Amino acid sequence: MASVSVHQFAPCITCHAWSPDQSMIAFCPNNNEVHIYKMLEGKWEKIHVLHKHDQIVSGIDWSRRTDQIVTVSHDRNSYVWSQEASEWVPTLVILRLNRAALCVQWSPKENKFAVGSGAKTVCVCYYEQENNWWVSKIIRKRHDSSVTSIAWHPNNILLATTSTDGKCRVFSTFIKGVDTKHTSSGSDSKFGEQIMQLDLSHSWTFGIRWSPSGNTLAYAGHDSMIYFVEEIGPSPSAQSVAFRDLPLRDVLFLSERMVIGVGYDCNPMVFTADERGLWSFLRFLDERKQTSNAKYDSQLSGTFGKLYGQSKSGSNESNESSRIRAHDNCITSVVPLKKTRDATVTTFTTAGLDGKVVTWDLQKQQDLMEYLQG
Amino acid sequence: MANSLRLYLTCIRNTLDAALCLQNFPCQEVERHNKPEVELKTSPELLLNPVVYGPLVLICRNEAEKCLIETSINSLCISLKVKQSDELENILTKKFLRFLSMRAEAFQVLRRKPVQSFHTFLMVVGYSTVYYTQGYDISFLITNYHCEDMQKQKLIEFIVQFMEDIDKEISELKLSVNTRGRLVATEFLKQFI
């Protein structure tokens, strides 16, 4: 079994993030709080509750080096929390948003973070030492609809976004005074400059990520497709992989050649690239029993003979019960847990609407190990 | 007969399986609000934003029975038109479904008013004109919050079960009305023997 541990933290989890030493987990239990749990003596204990937002917290990220947590919420606010003594102290970030914030991520150097919002804008925030607060610069007028997901390139300058208008865009977020000028990135060093726009999907797009080297981009479309883009620039080359199952919500690069997609199937999907660089769907990560594939026919005949006055929230599923999956409901986020020296991820966690956080370890999966080396 | 019902329900079940992929989505038009986007579309004064809406799917079993499924990013609306073969069934269906819709809070996923189709046409009756709106008999509104609280498979099961039960219910009601009518008439006319 690829899943190492399953733990039910809350009825429903919106988003989650791990501390730098992987001992603590911060997540939002589908309300306006952030709960931080720590593993003490083999049991998860709630050690902190961060209570500052008015509406549901839609994004959490925990920085590795500076040990700060950034949270964004549907109430248009964002806070950066730092640990002082044993308390978490919030610092308000002036985002200047007039709609909900949907996603957040620290940049690789952790001197900036980006926020995607329902105001069709992306805010890039940096710390101003003189005034002792976080200031944001906004990328406006580029998106036609809500920005659902963002991802930083390893060079700390390029930012990729996905939106409900179906397009994927890459911007430069060079800020004078914060970023050092890179000769390799060329002359596109203006803040908010759009490097690339891709219109591959007919439906909403979510879950964008860069590969560890920054050469490949992957994102998921709601039309049950996953897109892989290479050669980011004026003429990118893209591959679209369609799959039979329900759409994905989030993706994660485990190595240059392996991607995990999670979504409405409640089961992580493994996509791999062969030697020629062609991506395809390999398999589901969670083993499934064969009997559950006998789907709808047996279900229908079973329920025909069933009771007439069924309870409102649904009938028994006793003839569909052979479904041993870690998650019961849609998986909303996937976060890496352990990285090897060459940035390959071997352990990661998924959290979903069922409130469970499942840890997956790929050390024992023989058929996947060859893709992890690549 | 039973065969076409089975196919109809399987089709609806498969469509719902694909369409019930909902997520929490804050309103783009109004700050700090979270509305079912499928409802927003039917409100004429708000700007229609084609981006967040999904296609409409109409599944017809025959001319009299159909099912409309409207999707959006955070909500789903399923409207049903139940078979009504004669006037009595018409009245019974209307009364029964109205009874259910009025108690929509207990059902959680029910909508208080069935969705009216966009096709309205004029009928000139005597010296007055009447607007005749083709509508559906009952509508379900499922939002992402329902998907978070309840399991998707169970929700689909409930809807499909409901559709099967409706036909049975209506025919049972019709039968009991006829039986009762016969009994009452017999009793009443006995006095004239």
Side-chain angles (χ1 to χ4, degrees):
Chain A
M1 278 283 254
S3 62
V4 168
S5 70
V6 180
H7 192 267
Q8 176 103 31
F9 282 100
C12 190
I13 292 184
T14 322
C15 48
H16 73 296
W18 288 90
S19 64
D21 56 357
Q22 286 118 35
S23 63
M24 296 192 276
I25 182 171
F27 64 87
C28 168
N30 213 27
N31 57 14
N32 58 344
E33 300 169 344
V34 175
H35 291 200
I36 300 183
Y37 276 67
K38 194 180 172 94
M39 174 74 97
L40 295 165
E41 292 158 19
K43 272 185 3 153
W44 285 102
E45 303 281 338
K46 190 196 301 197
I47 49 171
H48 292 116
V49 174
L50 308 179
H51 197 125
K52 206 82 167 99
H53 287 288
D54 297 321
Q55 284 185 295
I56 188 175
V57 177
S58 46
I60 303 178
D61 203 10
W62 205 321
S63 63
R64 308 251 136 232
R65 271 165 281 182
T66 53
D67 198 26
Q68 289 176 310
I69 301 179
V70 63
T71 57
V72 291
S73 157
H74 284 183
D75 64 358
R76 305 142 50 215
N77 290 335
S78 164
Y79 289 96
V80 173
W81 304 79
S82 6
Q83 200 162 22
E84 281 165 32
S86 63
E87 285 295 309
W88 284 92
V89 177
T91 315
L92 178 64
V93 177
I94 316 289
L95 281 177
R96 293 180 286 143
L97 278 183
N98 57 3
R99 292 288 180 275
L102 298 176
C103 50
V104 66
Q105 203 184 40
W106 283 106
S107 68
K109 291 212 185 95
E110 287 159 20
N111 51 3
K112 303 187 279 190
F113 62 88
V115 179
S117 78
K120 310 177 195 180
T121 58
V122 178
C123 306
V124 180
C125 307
Y126 59 96
Y127 192 65
E128 227 172 51
Q129 199 65 41
E130 310 88 53
N131 296 327
N132 205 20
W133 67 2
W134 292 85
V135 175
S136 76
K137 287 193 78 154
I138 305 184
I139 304 177
R140 278 188 233 268
K141 297 198 190 127
R142 296 290 186 179
H143 297 272
D144 296 323
S145 191
S146 300
V147 178
T148 54
S149 180
I150 43 167
W152 286 95
H153 188 276
N155 72 3
N156 214 52
I157 309 261
L158 293 178
L159 182 71
T161 66
T162 53
S163 162
T164 41
D165 62 3
K167 301 192 177 67
C168 157
R169 297 174 178 86
V170 177
F171 296 94
S172 159
T173 61
F174 181 84
I175 300 176
K176 249 197 270 202
V178 178
D179 292 309
T180 51
K181 218 164 163 75
H182 263 283
T183 46
S184 54
S185 62
S187 54
D188 295 330
S189 313
K190 218 179 97 176
F191 180 84
E193 180 110 18
Q194 185 175 290
I195 311 283
M196 184 184 80
Q197 176 175 303
L198 281 172
D199 195 6
L200 296 171
S201 182
H202 297 296
S203 185
W204 317 308
T205 49
F206 306 104
I208 191 163
R209 286 287 178 276
W210 294 89
S211 68
S213 65
N215 289 334
T216 320
L217 252 186
Y219 65 98
H222 202 76
D223 45 1
S224 281
M225 302 266 280
I226 182 167
Y227 303 95
F228 297 95
V229 189
E230 297 186 11
E231 288 156 42
I232 317 296
S235 52
S237 67
Q239 280 177 56
S240 319
V241 178
F243 46 91
R244 284 189 57 218
D245 309 281
L246 296 176
L248 298 175
R249 284 283 293 271
D250 205 0
V251 298
L252 178 68
F253 265 95
L254 297 187
S255 72
E256 283 302 316
R257 289 172 60 197
M258 189 149 93
V259 164
I260 296 283
V262 293
Y264 295 99
D265 269 311
C266 321
N267 205 335
M269 300 172 92
V270 182
F271 294 89
T272 50
D274 60 10
E275 304 80 38
R276 290 169 298 159
L278 277 177
W279 290 88
S280 61
F281 170 62
L282 189 67
R283 66 178 177 93
F284 279 101
L285 206 52
D286 213 354
E287 285 101 46
R288 265 192 196 179
K289 266 213 171 118
Q290 272 308 110
T291 48
S292 65
N293 281 337
K295 284 199 269 184
Y296 307 120
D297 269 347
S298 59
Q299 203 173 29
L300 205 55
S301 55
T303 53
F304 252 120
K306 272 216 158 103
L307 343 157
Y308 168 74
Q310 290 280 305
S311 75
K312 166 193 69 62
S313 280
S315 49
N316 305 328
E317 298 256 339
S318 50
N319 47 353
E320 255 269 8
S321 60
S322 46
R323 200 190 287 179
I324 37 158
R325 271 186 241 161
H327 280 286
D328 302 316
N329 210 332
C330 167
I331 306 178
T332 49
S333 54
V334 55
V335 170
L337 194 54
K338 223 169 274 178
K339 283 193 188 163
T340 60
R341 205 169 304 144
D342 55 353
T344 315
V345 179
T346 49
T347 322
F348 59 92
T349 55
T350 53
L353 296 180
D354 53 357
K356 294 190 189 153
V357 174
V358 180
T359 316
W360 305 83
D361 191 345
L362 295 181
Q363 299 285 5
K364 298 207 186 73
Q365 308 288 312
Q366 289 306 321
D367 56 335
L368 301 177
M369 287 313 285
E370 55 154 312
Y371 294 101
L372 282 177
Q373 263 98 42
Chain B
M1 186 61 174
N3 225 355
S4 74
L5 176 67
R6 195 185 260 244
L7 278 171
Y8 179 53
L9 291 176
T10 311
C11 182
I12 291 180
R13 191 189 287 275
N14 290 348
T15 316
L16 285 180
D17 210 14
L20 265 172
C21 293
L22 308 174
Q23 55 177 281
N24 200 334
F25 187 74
C27 187
Q28 271 185 172
E29 311 299 325
V30 188
E31 58 176 85
R32 294 180 191 253
H33 276 228
N34 199 314
K35 303 173 198 278
E37 296 290 332
V38 76
E39 290 298 329
L40 224 57
K41 174 201 74 167
T42 55
S43 177
E45 61 269 14
L46 288 171
L47 275 173
L48 285 180
N49 187 349
V51 167
V52 292
Y53 308 126
L56 301 168
V57 176
L58 184 63
I59 303 167
C60 299
R61 187 181 172 192
N62 46 48
E63 272 170 22
E65 278 183 77
K66 48 187 179 165
C67 169
L68 177 72
I69 300 180
E70 301 164 278
T71 59
S72 76
I73 193 165
N74 63 355
S75 45
L76 179 75
C77 186
I78 307 156
S79 309
L80 304 173
K81 183 132 188 70
V82 176
K83 178 184 63 162
Q84 292 148 55
S85 23
D86 56 20
E87 202 52 49
L88 179 60
E89 271 192 14
N90 218 337
I91 300 172
L92 284 173
T93 312
K94 209 167 126 194
K95 286 203 175 297
F96 180 60
L97 293 178
R98 207 173 74 99
F99 174 82
L100 292 179
S101 304
M102 297 254 280
R103 285 146 187 85
E105 253 140 56
F107 284 98
Q108 288 183 42
V109 292
L110 211 54
R111 193 174 187 261
R112 275 190 180 276
K113 283 220 177 284
V115 163
Q116 300 300 313
S117 161
F118 288 120
H119 310 294
T120 60
F121 49 94
L122 288 176
M123 260 170 51
V124 180
V125 177
Y127 289 105
S128 61
T129 59
V130 173
Y131 281 99
Y132 187 74
T133 318
Q134 267 184 345
Y136 293 88
D137 295 321
I138 192 163
S139 296
F140 291 91
L141 178 66
I142 305 182
T143 62
N144 58 290
Y145 297 111
H146 297 137
C147 290
E148 285 162 15
D149 291 336
M150 304 179 246
Q151 279 191 22
K152 188 172 107 166
Q153 287 306 318
K154 296 214 167 113
L155 276 171
I156 299 177
E157 201 53 55
F158 171 67
I159 305 270
V160 170
Q161 190 72 34
F162 184 90
M163 293 177 75
E164 288 171 28
D165 292 346
I166 275 287
D167 287 334
K168 272 187 244 176
E169 272 285 351
I170 301 293
S171 32
E172 255 185 44
L173 280 172
K174 186 169 161 188
L175 207 65
S176 65
V177 164
N178 282 330
T179 315
R180 197 183 160 89
R182 202 178 314 121
L183 278 171
V184 165
T186 320
E187 277 305 310
F188 181 71
L189 295 173
K190 266 194 189 149
Q191 62 184 309
F192 297 115
I193 296 173

